[in-house]
Amino acid sequence: MHHVYQRNYIKTLAFDNPAILLTYPEDYRNDAIKQYEQELLLAMVEGPAEQVEENVNKFFSCRALRKAIIGEKYLNYETSVESAEGPATYCEYMYMKAFGTSLKEKQYIEKRFFYGLIEPTYGREGLRNKHLLSGMAQCLLLSRKVKNWQIEYYQSGLSLSAYFFAKFNPRVVSLPALPTYEAKAKYFTALEKEKHTQHLEAFNQQGGVKITLVFKQQPEVKGFDPMHAESINDSLTLHSTLLKLGKNHNHLNLVNQPILSVTNGQIWFVKRVSFFVPANAIRFENNTFLCQTEQLTISWRYLKQERNKDEYILILE
């Protein structure tokens, strides 16, 4: 309901682009500082009021350090999640706090809103939810400091964090050394990167005939699920739930089957795709490649085809 309000009345609010999350840098230094940053937020929400100013300064300084590591584009992605999802999650929390009276509901509240804020995650795992909750925490802190801050925030046109820092007026301070955070992040972030390699190997070990489609002209991305797409590297993306491409009368619709795309700079610029299908699902008619299974339908005119053992390589219009 809060998102409906935002969509209808807050025209200056920009919702996050989940495609940016696909290439979010997996850097252990950023992960270590972010874990510390999230714990600072929880300490401000649940700790003594006299420590809030000191922790706001540290929180502000964490953001400055992380910006130097991941760059403005990805920090802006984080703030866009906080700005739109933070207030909506704040509404959810306030509702649950008011009406969740049973022990089970109270345990859910603690796990959902507070443990989730500081639960260790690395790389891109759980990243969007982290900033959804960090936005909620900033809303809780603003509620203690500024009366009716919600109206002023939405009228300001600022991101939530920019508005938050304007009200708390923090300064850059020196942060403590974080050897434990860094050691854990270095280990677990490396594991997250290794998962990408393992998932690519599993994709390439599937049964059936491998189909590689090379597009002479860039197709239009008509649909994909960014929350279930995995960037293997800056140009390889493994889709697991949805990918729809089209160009004039040509189309490719795939649901709930892995497909690997090679892109050029952005997820929307697809150069080629690869997937596996049973041999009996493949047909060639009138210079058109046809393929149909329960998960996949393709009809695309091709300019050239090659057959290498158990793989077809087609140059498409």
Side-chain angles (χ1 to χ4, degrees):
M1 290 175 65
H2 193 75
H3 283 323
V4 173
Y5 166 74
Q6 291 172 326
R7 290 281 190 187
N8 289 339
Y9 299 108
I10 314 301
K11 303 303 182 183
T12 57
L13 185 68
F15 287 80
D16 65 288
N17 176 4
I20 295 175
L21 182 59
L22 290 172
T23 55
Y24 185 96
E26 294 184 301
D27 188 308
Y28 79 91
R29 298 170 300 166
N30 178 60
D31 288 345
I33 299 169
K34 184 169 352 102
Q35 182 66 33
Y36 179 65
E37 178 184 303
Q38 302 280 114
E39 292 176 12
L40 287 170
L41 278 168
L42 184 61
M44 286 187 274
V45 170
E46 295 193 337
E50 56 268 23
Q51 293 182 3
V52 168
E53 181 179 352
E54 176 187 354
N55 286 334
V56 168
N57 289 337
K58 290 179 179 178
F59 173 48
F60 181 69
S61 302
C62 285
R63 288 281 164 108
L65 278 177
R66 293 202 302 107
K67 182 179 178 180
I69 295 171
I70 64 175
E72 186 173 8
K73 172 184 175 180
Y74 295 104
L75 194 65
N76 287 344
Y77 168 78
E78 296 179 2
T79 58
S80 66
V81 176
E82 290 175 343
S83 299
E85 299 290 348
T89 308
Y90 167 76
C91 290
E92 180 189 350
Y93 167 73
M94 295 301 289
Y95 174 87
M96 288 298 299
K97 182 181 178 184
F99 296 100
T101 55
S102 70
L103 176 61
K104 186 175 182 180
E105 287 169 331
K106 289 179 179 178
Q107 290 173 337
Y108 167 82
I109 291 169
E110 189 67 25
K111 182 177 181 180
R112 165 75 176 93
F113 298 103
F114 297 112
Y115 179 71
L117 179 68
I118 63 167
E119 181 182 11
T121 59
Y122 302 93
R124 301 180 190 115
E125 180 193 4
L127 183 66
R128 191 174 186 274
N129 188 59
K130 281 287 190 188
H131 294 288
L132 179 151
L133 295 173
S134 65
M136 176 209 68
Q138 291 172 61
C139 291
L140 288 170
L141 293 166
L142 283 166
S143 294
R144 299 175 187 174
K145 188 174 181 65
V146 184
K147 186 178 181 180
N148 295 327
W149 67 270
Q150 298 94 332
I151 297 171
E152 186 182 43
Y153 161 60
Y154 278 133
Q155 291 176 345
S156 72
L158 297 172
S159 69
L160 180 65
S161 61
Y163 179 81
F164 177 86
F165 290 137
K167 292 303 176 183
F168 283 88
N169 195 28
R171 56 188 176 85
V172 174
V173 297
S174 297
L175 295 174
L178 302 171
T180 303
Y181 292 85
E182 290 181 356
K184 288 182 178 179
K186 194 168 188 177
Y187 176 77
F188 287 107
T189 305
L191 287 184
E192 286 301 310
K193 292 181 178 181
E194 178 59 27
K195 285 181 185 178
H196 301 322
T197 302
Q198 293 172 357
H199 294 164
L200 180 60
E201 290 175 352
F203 171 82
N204 285 320
Q205 291 172 4
Q206 295 178 81
V209 178
K210 184 177 182 181
I211 307 294
T212 296
L213 307 179
V214 181
F215 299 99
K216 186 175 181 181
Q217 296 183 20
Q218 179 183 303
E220 179 184 353
V221 177
K222 294 181 176 292
F224 83 104
D225 179 2
M227 304 311 295
H228 295 91
E230 176 185 3
S231 286
I232 307 301
N233 55 43
D234 289 344
S235 61
L236 283 179
T237 303
L238 184 59
H239 302 266
S240 58
T241 58
L242 175 69
L243 183 64
K244 294 185 177 183
L245 305 175
K247 187 74 174 181
N248 301 324
H249 57 279
N250 302 305
H251 67 269
L252 179 155
N253 297 325
L254 185 144
V255 178
N256 294 331
Q257 177 179 324
I259 183 169
L260 186 70
S261 68
V262 178
T263 56
N264 183 18
Q266 296 188 40
I267 191 72
W268 320 106
F269 303 153
V270 178
K271 296 165 61 178
R272 70 175 185 264
V273 296
S274 296
F275 52 90
F276 290 81
V277 292
N280 60 10
I282 301 167
R283 289 188 294 129
F284 298 92
E285 294 181 5
N286 300 321
N287 293 326
T288 300
F289 172 64
L290 301 168
C291 185
Q292 184 161 358
T293 67
E294 290 186 1
Q295 293 79 29
L296 173 69
T297 59
I298 299 174
S299 175
W300 213 295
R301 286 185 63 83
Y302 65 90
L303 305 174
K304 183 181 177 181
Q305 64 158 296
E306 297 179 5
R307 178 75 186 266
N308 298 320
K309 294 184 180 180
D310 291 328
E311 179 179 12
Y312 280 104
I313 301 174
L314 294 101
I315 310 299
L316 303 185
E317 284 186 344

